[in-house]
Short mmCIF file of all heavy atoms in Angstrom, two decimals:
data_model
loop_
_atom_site.label_atom_id
_atom_site.label_comp_id
_atom_site.label_asym_id
_atom_site.label_seq_id
_atom_site.Cartn_x
_atom_site.Cartn_y
_atom_site.Cartn_z
N ILE A 12 76.98 79.77 101.48
CA ILE A 12 78.31 79.18 101.67
C ILE A 12 79.37 80.09 101.06
O ILE A 12 80.46 80.28 101.62
CB ILE A 12 78.37 77.78 101.05
CG1 ILE A 12 77.35 76.86 101.74
CG2 ILE A 12 79.77 77.20 101.16
CD1 ILE A 12 77.29 75.47 101.17
N HIS A 13 79.05 80.69 99.93
CA HIS A 13 80.00 81.62 99.31
C HIS A 13 80.26 82.83 100.22
O HIS A 13 81.39 83.33 100.28
CB HIS A 13 79.46 82.09 97.96
CG HIS A 13 79.55 81.03 96.90
ND1 HIS A 13 78.77 81.07 95.76
CD2 HIS A 13 80.30 79.91 96.81
CE1 HIS A 13 79.07 80.02 95.00
NE2 HIS A 13 79.99 79.30 95.62
N GLU A 14 79.23 83.28 100.90
CA GLU A 14 79.42 84.39 101.85
C GLU A 14 80.34 83.98 102.99
O GLU A 14 81.17 84.75 103.46
CB GLU A 14 78.08 84.86 102.39
CG GLU A 14 77.22 85.62 101.39
CD GLU A 14 77.90 86.88 100.89
OE1 GLU A 14 78.54 87.57 101.71
OE2 GLU A 14 77.80 87.17 99.69
N ILE A 15 80.18 82.73 103.46
CA ILE A 15 81.06 82.23 104.53
C ILE A 15 82.49 82.14 104.03
O ILE A 15 83.44 82.55 104.71
CB ILE A 15 80.56 80.85 105.02
CG1 ILE A 15 79.17 80.99 105.66
CG2 ILE A 15 81.54 80.25 106.02
CD1 ILE A 15 78.53 79.68 106.04
N LEU A 16 82.67 81.62 102.81
CA LEU A 16 84.01 81.51 102.25
C LEU A 16 84.66 82.88 102.05
O LEU A 16 85.88 83.02 102.15
CB LEU A 16 83.96 80.77 100.91
CG LEU A 16 83.62 79.28 100.96
CD1 LEU A 16 83.50 78.72 99.55
CD2 LEU A 16 84.68 78.52 101.73
N SER A 17 83.84 83.90 101.76
CA SER A 17 84.40 85.23 101.54
C SER A 17 85.04 85.80 102.80
O SER A 17 85.85 86.72 102.72
CB SER A 17 83.31 86.18 101.03
OG SER A 17 82.33 86.42 102.03
N CYS A 18 84.68 85.25 103.95
CA CYS A 18 85.26 85.73 105.21
C CYS A 18 86.74 85.38 105.34
O CYS A 18 87.45 85.95 106.17
CB CYS A 18 84.49 85.17 106.41
SG CYS A 18 82.79 85.76 106.51
N ILE A 19 87.23 84.44 104.55
CA ILE A 19 88.66 84.10 104.59
C ILE A 19 89.42 84.85 103.50
O ILE A 19 90.56 84.54 103.20
CB ILE A 19 88.88 82.58 104.44
CG1 ILE A 19 88.38 82.10 103.06
CG2 ILE A 19 88.21 81.82 105.55
CD1 ILE A 19 88.70 80.64 102.78
N ASN A 20 88.72 85.85 102.89
CA ASN A 20 89.33 86.75 101.91
C ASN A 20 89.89 86.00 100.70
O ASN A 20 90.86 86.43 100.08
CB ASN A 20 90.46 87.57 102.56
CG ASN A 20 89.92 88.50 103.61
OD1 ASN A 20 88.84 89.06 103.46
ND2 ASN A 20 90.64 88.65 104.71
N GLY A 21 89.29 84.87 100.39
CA GLY A 21 89.71 84.14 99.18
C GLY A 21 91.13 83.64 99.24
O GLY A 21 91.79 83.50 98.22
N SER A 22 91.63 83.32 100.43
CA SER A 22 92.99 82.82 100.56
C SER A 22 93.17 81.57 99.72
O SER A 22 92.44 80.58 99.91
CB SER A 22 93.29 82.51 102.03
OG SER A 22 94.48 81.76 102.16
N PRO A 23 94.11 81.53 98.78
CA PRO A 23 94.29 80.35 97.93
C PRO A 23 94.52 79.08 98.73
O PRO A 23 93.97 78.02 98.42
CB PRO A 23 95.52 80.71 97.08
CG PRO A 23 95.55 82.20 97.07
CD PRO A 23 95.03 82.60 98.42
N THR A 24 95.33 79.16 99.77
CA THR A 24 95.63 77.97 100.58
C THR A 24 94.38 77.40 101.21
O THR A 24 94.14 76.19 101.16
CB THR A 24 96.65 78.32 101.67
OG1 THR A 24 97.83 78.87 101.07
CG2 THR A 24 97.03 77.09 102.46
N GLU A 25 93.55 78.26 101.79
CA GLU A 25 92.35 77.79 102.46
C GLU A 25 91.34 77.24 101.46
O GLU A 25 90.67 76.23 101.72
CB GLU A 25 91.72 78.93 103.27
CG GLU A 25 92.59 79.44 104.41
CD GLU A 25 92.90 78.35 105.42
OE1 GLU A 25 92.04 77.47 105.63
OE2 GLU A 25 93.99 78.37 106.00
N LEU A 26 91.20 77.89 100.31
CA LEU A 26 90.25 77.41 99.30
C LEU A 26 90.66 76.05 98.76
O LEU A 26 89.82 75.16 98.53
CB LEU A 26 90.15 78.42 98.16
CG LEU A 26 89.41 79.72 98.47
CD1 LEU A 26 89.48 80.67 97.30
CD2 LEU A 26 87.96 79.44 98.83
N VAL A 27 91.96 75.85 98.54
CA VAL A 27 92.43 74.55 98.06
C VAL A 27 92.18 73.47 99.10
O VAL A 27 91.74 72.35 98.78
CB VAL A 27 93.92 74.62 97.68
CG1 VAL A 27 94.48 73.23 97.42
CG2 VAL A 27 94.12 75.51 96.46
N ARG A 28 92.41 73.79 100.37
CA ARG A 28 92.17 72.82 101.44
C ARG A 28 90.70 72.40 101.48
O ARG A 28 90.37 71.23 101.67
CB ARG A 28 92.58 73.41 102.78
CG ARG A 28 94.08 73.49 103.00
CD ARG A 28 94.40 74.20 104.30
NE ARG A 28 95.83 74.26 104.54
CZ ARG A 28 96.40 74.94 105.53
NH1 ARG A 28 95.62 75.62 106.36
NH2 ARG A 28 97.70 74.94 105.68
N MET A 29 89.80 73.39 101.32
CA MET A 29 88.37 73.07 101.36
C MET A 29 87.92 72.30 100.13
O MET A 29 87.02 71.46 100.21
CB MET A 29 87.57 74.37 101.48
CG MET A 29 87.74 75.06 102.81
SD MET A 29 86.79 76.59 102.90
CE MET A 29 87.18 77.11 104.57
N SER A 30 88.54 72.56 98.99
CA SER A 30 88.10 71.91 97.75
C SER A 30 88.35 70.41 97.75
O SER A 30 87.68 69.67 97.01
CB SER A 30 88.80 72.56 96.56
OG SER A 30 90.19 72.25 96.56
N VAL A 31 89.30 69.94 98.56
CA VAL A 31 89.61 68.51 98.57
C VAL A 31 88.81 67.74 99.62
O VAL A 31 88.99 66.53 99.76
CB VAL A 31 91.13 68.28 98.82
CG1 VAL A 31 91.94 68.93 97.71
CG2 VAL A 31 91.54 68.83 100.18
N LEU A 32 87.91 68.41 100.33
CA LEU A 32 87.12 67.71 101.35
C LEU A 32 86.17 66.69 100.73
O LEU A 32 86.01 65.58 101.25
CB LEU A 32 86.32 68.73 102.16
CG LEU A 32 87.11 69.64 103.10
CD1 LEU A 32 86.18 70.66 103.75
CD2 LEU A 32 87.84 68.83 104.17
N SER A 33 85.53 67.07 99.64
CA SER A 33 84.56 66.18 99.00
C SER A 33 84.24 66.74 97.63
O SER A 33 84.63 67.86 97.28
CB SER A 33 83.28 66.07 99.84
OG SER A 33 82.63 67.33 99.90
N LYS A 34 83.46 65.99 96.84
CA LYS A 34 83.03 66.48 95.54
C LYS A 34 82.13 67.70 95.69
O LYS A 34 82.17 68.61 94.87
CB LYS A 34 82.30 65.36 94.78
CG LYS A 34 83.19 64.21 94.35
CD LYS A 34 82.40 63.19 93.56
CE LYS A 34 83.32 62.06 93.09
NZ LYS A 34 82.56 61.03 92.31
N THR A 35 81.33 67.69 96.76
CA THR A 35 80.45 68.84 97.01
C THR A 35 81.26 70.10 97.23
O THR A 35 80.98 71.16 96.65
CB THR A 35 79.56 68.57 98.23
OG1 THR A 35 78.77 67.42 97.99
CG2 THR A 35 78.65 69.77 98.50
N TRP A 36 82.30 69.99 98.05
CA TRP A 36 83.11 71.17 98.35
C TRP A 36 83.98 71.57 97.17
O TRP A 36 84.30 72.74 96.99
CB TRP A 36 83.96 70.93 99.60
CG TRP A 36 83.17 71.20 100.83
CD1 TRP A 36 82.52 70.31 101.59
CD2 TRP A 36 82.89 72.49 101.39
NE1 TRP A 36 81.86 70.94 102.62
CE2 TRP A 36 82.07 72.28 102.52
CE3 TRP A 36 83.25 73.79 101.06
CZ2 TRP A 36 81.60 73.31 103.31
CZ3 TRP A 36 82.79 74.83 101.84
CH2 TRP A 36 81.98 74.59 102.95
N PHE A 37 84.36 70.62 96.33
CA PHE A 37 85.09 70.97 95.12
C PHE A 37 84.22 71.84 94.22
O PHE A 37 84.68 72.84 93.65
CB PHE A 37 85.51 69.69 94.38
CG PHE A 37 86.26 69.97 93.11
CD1 PHE A 37 87.62 70.23 93.14
CD2 PHE A 37 85.61 69.99 91.88
CE1 PHE A 37 88.32 70.51 91.97
CE2 PHE A 37 86.29 70.27 90.71
CZ PHE A 37 87.64 70.52 90.76
#
Side-chain angles (χ1 to χ4, degrees):
I12 299 178
H13 287 159
E14 288 299 321
I15 296 174
L16 291 176
S17 67
C18 295
I19 63 174
N20 295 323
S22 167
T24 303
E25 296 300 327
L26 288 175
V27 170
R28 286 175 179 173
M29 291 180 179
S30 69
V31 299
L32 290 176
S33 65
K34 291 183 178 180
T35 300
W36 277 97
F37 180 83

